[in-house]
């Protein structure tokens, strides 16, 4: 990835809501949904929802459909 694209992705990621960002980071580190729920002290359903929304937001923005 070129430097500019890398910086843009960092800005997009930092703009995500905190729960979505943390869930994505923990998932990228290899934690299961259950492990993320335990680590963040949130329901498993919230983990699934946050991961889905976070990935959707990143996908929309990186494909040029974002704000």
């Amino acid at each position: 990835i070129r430097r500019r694209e890398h910086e843009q992705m960092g800005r997009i990621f930092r703009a995500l809501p905190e729960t979505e960002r943390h869930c994505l980071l923990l998932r990228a580190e290899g934690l299961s949904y259950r492990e993320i729920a335990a680590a963040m002290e949130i329901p498993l359903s919230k983990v699934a929802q946050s991961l889905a929304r976070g990935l959707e937001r990143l996908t929309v923005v990186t494909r040029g459909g974002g704000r």
Side-chain angles (χ1 to χ4, degrees):
I1 300 178
R2 286 181 253 151
R3 182 178 177 170
R4 195 170 96 192
E5 291 170 335
H6 183 75
E7 290 171 357
Q8 179 185 18
M9 190 60 132
R11 283 192 303 274
I12 293 165
F13 189 76
R14 286 188 300 274
L16 290 173
E18 184 177 1
T19 301
E20 292 174 14
R21 191 171 60 246
H22 286 210
C23 284
L24 287 167
L25 284 171
L26 292 173
R27 187 67 176 151
E29 290 179 7
L31 274 68
S32 70
Y33 283 35
R34 288 188 193 282
E35 291 169 326
I36 295 168
M40 295 183 62
E41 298 179 347
I42 60 175
L44 190 59
S45 60
K46 179 71 172 173
V47 171
Q49 179 184 46
S50 295
L51 287 170
R53 285 185 178 170
L55 289 172
E56 181 179 348
R57 290 177 204 265
L58 288 175
T59 301
V60 167
V61 172
T62 57
R63 289 188 179 166
R67 302 175 194 137

